[in-house]
């Protein structure tokens, strides 16, 4: 199965500055997508959890951090995203200081790139 992400996304290549998967927290954190920006890819929760977990491995001290689940929103928020910034994490022994800094950047990047596919109860 192909990794979730936009066409050409390779999970084996580190995030390049300025790419849609850049891990740097930008000044426009938490703002809606710019007009003309591509729409987020639709993924199921398992795909999103795998992608989010993989992103933590890009940060020092976070290689053991795993996302257990995400929280689906009843309706998309003001940014058009249908999942919350709240993640259920298994830190795997990682120190909170290590993964706290990565958390916001990873969630922001993921919310810009992905929306959850409609579930059975939607």
């Amino acid at each position: 199965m192909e990794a979730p992400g936009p066409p050409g996304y390779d999970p084996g290549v580190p995030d390049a500055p300025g790419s849609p998967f850049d891990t740097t927290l930008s000044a426009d954190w938490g703002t809606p997508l710019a007009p003309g920006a591509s729409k987020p890819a639709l993924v199921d929760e398992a795909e999103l959890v795998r992608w989010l977990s993989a992103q933590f491995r890009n940060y020092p001290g976070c290689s053991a951090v795993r996302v257990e689940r995400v929280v689906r929103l009843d309706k998309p928020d003001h940014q058009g995203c249908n999942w919350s910034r709240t993640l259920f994490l298994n830190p795997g022994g990682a120190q909170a200081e290590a993964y706290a800094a990565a958390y916001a950047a990873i969630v922001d990047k993921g919310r810009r790139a992905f929306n959850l596919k409609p579930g059975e109860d939607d």
Side-chain angles (χ1 to χ4, degrees):
M1 180 159 115
E2 186 177 357
Y9 171 62
D10 181 353
V13 175
D15 297 339
S19 79
F21 297 102
D22 182 6
T23 57
T24 306
L25 189 59
S26 65
D28 63 351
W29 180 86
T31 59
L33 288 173
S38 63
K39 293 189 180 206
L42 291 176
V43 295
D44 62 30
E45 183 177 353
E47 291 170 314
L48 181 57
V49 164
R50 278 192 302 275
W51 184 87
L52 290 164
S53 294
Q55 295 307 297
F56 277 98
R57 291 192 291 272
N58 293 327
Y59 290 84
C62 297
S63 62
V65 176
R66 298 290 178 264
V67 176
E68 298 289 328
R69 64 181 293 258
V70 298
V71 177
R72 179 187 294 271
L73 300 175
D74 290 333
K75 61 181 183 174
D77 62 15
H78 71 282
Q79 293 176 282
C81 189
N82 66 357
W83 55 279
S84 171
R85 293 184 183 284
T86 301
L87 304 178
F88 289 85
L89 294 180
N90 175 347
Q95 298 298 311
E97 299 82 29
Y99 64 80
Y103 188 99
I106 291 169
V107 170
D108 187 54
K109 182 170 55 168
R111 285 173 46 89
R112 289 174 178 273
F114 304 107
N115 260 334
L116 292 170
K117 291 178 182 176
E120 292 180 14
D121 58 341
D122 291 338

